[in-house]
Amino acid sequence: MKKKLMTMVILAMTLATADAQNPIVQTWYTSDPAPMVCGDKIYVYTGHDEDNADFFWMYEWRVYSSSDMVNWTDHGSPLSLRSFSWADDRAWAAQTIERNGKYYWYVCAHSKLTNGMAIGVAVADSPTGPFHDALGKPLLDNGSWDNIDPTVFIDEGGQAWLFWGNPTINYAKLNSDMLSFDGEVKQVNQTIEGFGAPNVKERQKDVKYKDNYTEGPWILKRNSLCYLLYAAGGVPEHIAYSTAPSFEGPWTYRGEIMPLEDTKSFTNHCGVADFKGHSYFFYHTGKLPGGGGFGRSAAVEEFTYNPDGTFPL
């Protein structure tokens, strides 16, 4: 079931906070929202789409915080391409996580070293920075254009996981320093049972699949169940998800969370967080004046998990 709230897209979920305004940022184009709860505040790390852009020409990331999900504080841009000596373009989707009082911001950007996309990591002592390149080089840079949209989660055993990729789903364990891999980079084997379609190279052009992973993964674990949310279906994108007993699978396709809507944006990118006893789903639209597919804006809806831990569809 699809509903509308304040003329904006709303998921088939429970009604969002009535006093909140979507998009949550009205003064900048803010894409790929990635929430992080810290103390009594929730922080949202976003990309920044340039005005009048004709592609994803992006040069910085931004941070916003709230203590009530209604009023948002703009913390500016504590991280940009200038923070990374190896990067020269395309400051795309990123996510921040805290460990042992340090804040690690995993980003992807175009690498002038290999001419592909690379994953880097910045670190700070505060959720709002200042951040600096933690390694002085990419965490991963093999010349592939698949190295985009990193998402990170630390499980109950203290193991940190990093997922990324388009059109493949790549993942690796992180060491406790959060700056190096524990073992080799692996690739999720996409199947019809796990994601609605097999791996890209195995898909048949004349077959209509139930769904397919595209990009923008978001991982989390809740009550022993691992979740992988992602942009799906190609262009335009909707949001779907799969679950597994472990981040190494096996994955089971669960369906669409956010069906195609009139978002004015042909891409989508989600993030999920629990904050002060409520669950929130972040995404982006092109609904600000002058916005669109290359001028996106972060939005949020409150929802309630089903008793079995699944998302309301």
Side-chain angles (χ1 to χ4, degrees), residues 9-311:
V9 177
I10 186 169
L11 309 179
M13 299 177 175
T14 58
L15 191 64
T17 305
D19 294 331
Q21 184 178 25
N22 274 325
I24 59 174
V25 178
Q26 302 280 317
T27 52
W28 299 81
Y29 293 129
T30 52
S31 59
D32 308 320
M36 182 192 74
V37 175
C38 182
D40 65 349
K41 290 185 178 180
I42 186 168
Y43 294 84
V44 179
Y45 298 79
T46 76
H48 172 210
D49 290 350
E50 295 293 320
D51 293 350
N52 304 312
D54 59 359
F55 185 64
F56 305 109
W57 307 119
M58 302 162 68
Y59 308 109
E60 65 180 15
W61 297 270
R62 301 186 64 83
V63 183
Y64 301 86
S65 70
S66 177
S67 58
D68 59 10
M69 295 299 297
V70 176
N71 301 289
W72 293 88
T73 299
D74 185 345
H75 298 282
S77 173
L79 192 67
S80 71
L81 292 176
R82 294 188 300 273
S83 305
F84 302 97
S85 61
W86 50 267
D88 61 5
D89 201 355
R90 304 172 204 189
W92 289 356
Q95 185 183 347
T96 301
I97 196 168
E98 183 272 337
R99 185 163 201 164
N100 297 328
K102 297 283 187 179
Y103 299 85
Y104 298 90
W105 198 340
Y106 295 88
V107 306
C108 64
H110 185 262
S111 169
K112 57 188 178 184
L113 304 178
T114 64
N115 200 36
M117 292 297 291
I119 293 175
V121 56
V123 66
D125 295 323
S126 161
T128 58
F131 284 86
H132 67 272
D133 187 349
L135 294 171
K137 62 180 181 180
L139 173 63
L140 177 68
D141 186 9
N142 56 14
S144 172
W145 285 87
D146 189 31
N147 299 325
I148 68 169
D149 302 349
T151 177
V152 60
F153 187 84
I154 302 173
D155 66 24
E156 69 278 9
Q159 179 61 63
W161 300 83
L162 191 73
F163 278 62
W164 68 92
N166 171 356
T168 61
I169 309 171
N170 309 291
Y171 72 97
K173 294 180 179 179
L174 289 167
N175 287 311
S176 58
D177 64 5
M178 303 297 284
L179 303 176
S180 58
F181 291 136
D182 177 9
E184 63 181 1
V185 172
K186 298 180 181 180
Q187 191 173 106
V188 174
N189 181 34
Q190 296 178 47
T191 64
I192 293 176
E193 296 76 19
F195 297 92
N199 296 311
V200 172
K201 293 182 180 180
E202 301 169 11
R203 296 174 194 167
Q204 302 177 33
K205 293 183 179 179
D206 58 344
V207 175
K208 182 175 177 57
Y209 294 104
K210 179 167 48 178
D211 209 341
N212 64 273
Y213 169 90
T214 304
E215 61 182 351
W218 180 272
I219 57 172
L220 67 119
K221 190 172 185 179
R222 186 175 182 272
N223 296 333
S224 300
L225 189 63
C226 296
Y227 299 75
L228 176 55
L229 288 67
Y230 45 90
V235 176
E237 296 174 343
H238 58 266
I239 300 294
Y241 81 115
S242 303
T243 63
S246 161
F247 282 121
E248 296 199 275
W251 293 97
T252 299
Y253 176 76
R254 294 295 187 178
E256 297 181 5
I257 297 175
M258 183 176 181
L260 286 179
E261 295 275 3
D262 182 20
T263 64
K264 307 299 183 184
S265 171
F266 53 86
T267 66
N268 208 338
H269 191 108
C270 72
V272 174
D274 290 340
F275 180 58
K276 295 187 176 180
H278 300 267
S279 298
Y280 295 96
F281 181 95
F282 291 80
Y283 59 101
H284 66 223
T285 75
K287 291 285 185 122
L288 275 186
F294 302 121
R296 299 160 295 176
S297 298
V300 64
E301 308 294 345
E302 184 182 348
F303 73 97
T304 300
Y305 287 96
N306 292 323
D308 63 356
T310 57
F311 281 85

